[in-house]
Amino acid sequence: MSEILVLVEHVEGQVKKVTLELLTLARKLGTPAAVWTGAGYSPEAQARLAEYGAEKIYVADSAEVSDYVVAPKAELLAHLVGEKAPVAVLVAATAEAKEIAGRLAIKIDSGVLTDVVGIEDGLVADQSIFGGGINVRSRVTKGIPIVAVRPNATPVEAAAGAGTEEHVTFTVSDAAKGARIVERVKEEKGARPELTEAAIVVSGGRGVGSAEKFSIIEELADSLGAAVGASRAATDAGWYPHQFQVGQTGKTVSPQLYIAAGISGAIQHRAGMQTAKTIVAINKDPEAPIFELADYGVVGDLHQIVPQLTEEITKRK
Amino acid sequence: MNIVVCVKQVPDTATERKLRSDDNTLDRDAADGVINELCEYAVEEALRLKEAHGGEVTVLTMGPAKASDTIRKALAMGADKAVHLVDDALHGSDALGTSHALAQTLKKIGFDLVVLGSESTDARTGVLAAMLAERLGVPQLTFANQVQVDKGAISIQRVTDYGYDKVEASLPAVVSVVEKINEPRYPSFKGIMAAKKKPVEKLGVADAEIDASQVGLANSWSEVAEFAVAPPRAAGTVVKDEGDGGVKAADFLASKKFV
Ligand SMILES: Cc1cc2nc3c(=O)[nH]c(=O)nc-3n(C[C@H](O)[C@H](O)[C@H](O)COP(=O)(O)OP(=O)(O)OC[C@H]3O[C@@H](n4cnc5c(N)ncnc54)[C@H](O)[C@@H]3O)c2cc1C
Ligand SMILES: Nc1ncnc2c1ncn2[C@@H]1O[C@H](COP(=O)(O)O)[C@@H](O)[C@H]1O
């Protein structure tokens, strides 16, 4: 069967869940071949990728590949496409991987689909657009389909692959070295799961009232092993960092459970969370539009309800 | 410094957005057209760079005739002139086609710096800046929440999942901005009046030396095969907090096996 290249997402050598989702998806379409870029490759990483079906693992772990913005990774993938003639390339629909996909598309003269939530036979892709308002089925009509798949859209399933490792000898061209990363600044985020990958997201909005009060949102999140999100009103006010903003100009999440506390449910916020499987809303205004989406809603003061909910969850664990 | 800012007109997200049933493309007539929000931040950043370093800001928009409203808005904010890429042959272009058309135009009009929004609210692909950098063969400095130019050198802070990367390059370059980079100014009355007299050059496919086989719906690299309005979510249960709202919510979560 023909190969499906899967670009691996990892944080300092830890394979991210979305990659396991992509491998699961790739098994339906062909033979999964993982592509590792940057430092951090290890026997553990190899085992993890094999466990979820990687037949091959192409390893390009020279630091050079990740020392520059996006271009070297696109170049590497183009090189592999030339060499391995895959039937499709799958990447995660993260900001950076979509950019890699975009540059790759130009290099190999192929169509690219972004923010895909499912792939069916014949590489027909499902997309959910306009904040979940319309479901679309699309397809690449020229070249080798490049598909960026949303995290959390595919249930992961293990199924062992050979995991045969192959080192890729590849030199980054000067043209791809235009934008050099001179420093990586890590802002502390604690032990919480990443927002777009999390199975549960607890978000706070203007109703939370202050940066200090976001601690009750964090405590609820921690009791559920969830990530913390925020509405734009909350990030604009400086109560929570911008990278946690959910919505049209923030992150798109589709967790199993989304809890919105003190968020009105403006269309731009809904655009980022509408595809969550289950939605719970806590808001003192019974007319808040968020209740139109909620599977379960509590009308009342979040400062009472949220701590009580945290306490109940902790008690029942 | 010769700055070109790419500005897109998008349907207002506050109105209902539709696809056309004849060719499955965005129905640009169904909703009011507004400037893509992140493009306002791009215009603002371009103006600030011009104010600090001198030069000229040109607005570049590809879109139907009615996109001229959006161009006027950017000119009213303070941009000096505009190029409006308008041609029926461009209708239905996907990201690859759009990036080809914009790149050809940029080559023709020249630039030291191209500034874009990091994402549009309709397509939401977030790939255009990367594609332009690829096509133009210049450094890609995208998802910036801070931009600094010092003679021929440019540096940004690129927003990442973990914080940000500091990135350095030399001009010419392509930059895309996120919304936390600045606070876009409102056009002043004077600005609005002045915008009416600022030059807007209209270019078609041939004028901009765009390869007609690379643009338009029929030449796109992908197609929307079909679409359907998503079924509305089933109405849920809403309870009023009587002092036990948290407990009730926990009961619900337990019933769904989240606790
Ligand atoms: C182009 C554009 C892009 C945008 N992008 C985004 C985006 O990415 N993400 C985003 O979130 N927004 C975005 N917005 C902003 C969006 O329109 C809303 O302004 C924003 O989502 C409102 O945030 P909020 O719900 O927290 O605040 P509000 O709308 O002010 O709602 C606060 C809610 O909290 C409730 N409340 C107050 N006090 C309490 C209490 N003690 N207990 C319980 N409930 C309480 C109130 O009843 C109210 O419903 C965008 C806007 C535009 C124009
Ligand atoms: N038709 C267009 N005309 C001018 N600029 C555009 C156009 N389409 C996209 N852009 C630019 O590309 C950015 C990202 O758009 P997108 O890749 O569609 O999400 C926008 O913020 C604009 O700066």
Side-chain angles (χ1 to χ4, degrees):
Chain A
M1 246 202 307
S2 333
E3 278 186 12
I4 310 286
L5 293 186
V6 172
L7 179 65
V8 176
E9 295 268 326
H10 62 92
V11 181
E12 285 157 5
Q14 292 276 358
V15 177
K16 295 220 281 187
K17 188 171 123 236
V18 65
T19 299
L20 310 180
E21 296 170 1
L22 295 187
L23 288 170
T24 305
L25 200 55
R27 292 205 307 265
K28 279 203 325 197
L29 311 168
T31 309
V35 181
W36 185 281
T37 59
Y41 185 70
S42 66
E44 292 76 49
Q46 180 184 22
R48 192 100 177 117
L49 295 170
E51 188 187 343
Y52 285 86
E55 282 300 323
K56 286 211 181 119
I57 304 170
Y58 300 123
V59 182
D61 59 354
S62 82
E64 227 190 12
V65 177
S66 34
D67 280 350
Y68 305 89
V69 176
V70 172
K73 290 182 182 169
E75 210 168 71
L76 168 74
L77 282 178
H79 166 81
L80 282 171
V81 166
E83 207 157 79
K84 312 292 178 189
V87 289
V89 180
L90 304 188
V91 306
T94 59
E96 168 150 329
K98 286 200 287 185
E99 293 194 322
I100 296 170
R103 296 190 72 135
L104 174 66
I106 292 172
K107 285 180 187 294
I108 66 171
D109 193 26
S110 294
V112 57
L113 299 172
T114 53
D115 291 300
V116 165
V117 294
I119 305 180
E120 293 154 45
D121 291 346
L123 285 159
V124 175
D126 297 316
Q127 288 164 307
S128 158
I129 63 166
F130 300 159
I134 295 182
N135 295 329
V136 161
R137 306 184 74 195
S138 29
R139 128 170 27 92
V140 166
T141 47
K142 282 195 225 169
I144 297 161
I146 305 167
V147 185
V149 185
R150 273 210 189 136
N152 262 335
T154 324
V156 290
E157 249 173 73
T164 313
E165 182 180 315
E166 192 180 308
H167 267 266
V168 186
T169 32
F170 159 78
T171 355
V172 178
S173 78
D174 285 343
K177 291 183 181 171
R180 175 193 275 280
I181 299 167
V182 290
E183 191 184 343
R184 286 173 206 278
V185 179
K186 298 203 165 78
E187 281 165 356
E188 190 238 335
K189 73 162 170 80
R192 293 192 192 99
E194 198 173 288
L195 188 52
T196 52
E197 295 225 316
I200 304 179
V201 174
V202 181
S203 288
R206 199 193 305 274
V208 175
S210 67
E212 295 71 47
K213 283 290 178 196
F214 250 83
S215 62
I216 65 171
I217 303 295
E218 293 187 326
E219 283 156 20
L220 175 56
D222 291 341
S223 75
L224 289 161
V228 174
S231 74
R232 175 151 158 197
T235 62
D236 275 353
W239 299 344
Y240 221 67
H242 176 231
Q243 66 260 35
F244 298 101
Q245 181 174 314
V246 171
Q248 187 178 289
T249 43
K251 298 269 158 63
T252 300
V253 299
S254 25
Q256 297 300 315
L257 171 64
Y258 188 86
I259 303 181
I263 292 177
S264 61
I267 182 123
Q268 296 90 357
H269 186 78
R270 287 153 66 153
M273 46 68 74
Q274 193 137 255
T275 53
K277 306 283 177 311
T278 301
I279 297 171
V280 172
I282 300 167
N283 195 305
K284 67 178 183 190
D285 173 11
E287 305 296 324
I290 191 77
F291 287 124
E292 291 161 22
L293 296 184
D295 298 285
Y296 196 80
V298 184
V299 180
D301 184 358
L302 72 92
H303 296 103
Q304 308 297 321
I305 299 162
V306 170
Q308 189 181 66
L309 175 56
T310 309
E311 195 187 312
E312 272 306 303
I313 291 166
T314 315
K315 237 194 275 173
R316 295 182 194 195
K317 265 200 276 201
Chain B
M1 190 164 43
N2 182 3
I3 307 171
V4 181
V5 48
C6 293
V7 171
K8 185 180 190 182
Q9 186 179 57
V10 295
D12 191 347
T13 48
T15 59
E16 194 193 346
R17 291 169 291 172
K18 297 195 183 106
L19 295 181
R20 278 164 49 157
S21 50
D22 55 347
D23 65 1
N24 297 354
T25 62
L26 178 66
D27 190 341
R28 293 191 190 274
D29 297 326
D32 291 337
V34 296
I35 183 169
N36 179 43
E37 201 208 14
L38 283 170
C39 294
E40 281 185 56
Y41 292 80
V43 173
E44 177 64 35
E45 200 57 25
L47 294 173
R48 290 185 189 194
L49 288 168
K50 173 192 151 168
E51 282 152 14
H53 304 282
E56 202 176 38
V57 175
T58 306
V59 174
L60 171 57
T61 295
M62 160 172 151
K66 80 170 192 180
S68 55
D69 298 345
T70 295
I71 292 174
R72 288 291 164 206
K73 159 116 202 210
L75 292 173
M77 285 174 73
D80 300 292
K81 59 188 175 58
V83 174
H84 186 176
L85 198 49
V86 48
D87 196 319
D88 288 342
L90 295 166
H91 167 75
S93 300
D94 61 1
L96 280 123
T98 302
S99 66
H100 169 73
L102 292 177
Q104 289 303 105
T105 313
L106 284 162
K107 282 183 206 163
K108 195 169 174 68
I109 64 182
F111 61 91
D112 298 311
L113 185 64
V114 185
V115 188
L116 293 88
S118 52
E119 194 176 277
S120 62
T121 57
D122 56 351
R124 291 205 73 186
T125 60
V127 298
L128 221 77
M131 284 183 162
L132 284 183
E134 176 74 31
R135 290 201 187 272
L136 297 166
V138 301
Q140 173 190 331
L141 300 136
T142 45
F143 289 89
N145 69 5
Q146 204 183 87
V147 178
Q148 249 152 10
V149 172
D150 184 12
K151 298 191 185 74
I154 177 163
S155 61
I156 66 152
Q157 289 189 5
R158 169 175 169 84
V159 175
T160 63
D161 283 335
Y162 49 80
Y164 60 89
D165 288 349
K166 287 189 178 169
V167 181
E168 291 178 0
S170 52
L171 296 176
V174 172
V175 163
S176 80
V177 303
V178 301
E179 67 183 22
K180 293 291 181 302
I181 193 167
N182 57 38
E183 200 49 65
R185 67 194 69 185
Y186 288 104
S188 63
F189 179 70
K190 215 174 119 220
I192 294 168
M193 295 315 287
K196 295 189 172 140
K197 293 189 217 94
K198 288 177 178 172
V200 178
E201 188 184 2
K202 286 193 165 58
L203 296 180
V205 162
D207 308 318
E209 289 166 45
I210 291 164
D211 179 349
S213 74
Q214 304 273 304
V215 293
L217 185 62
N219 298 314
S220 279
W221 282 255
S222 56
E223 65 173 18
V224 171
E226 52 187 1
F227 70 90
V229 174
R233 291 183 81 101
T237 315
V238 179
V239 299
K240 198 170 171 316
D241 179 32
E242 312 275 5
D244 61 350
V247 177
K248 283 192 178 143
D251 289 341
F252 173 78
L253 294 184
S255 77
K256 293 279 179 185
K257 308 228 175 338
F258 289 114
V259 262

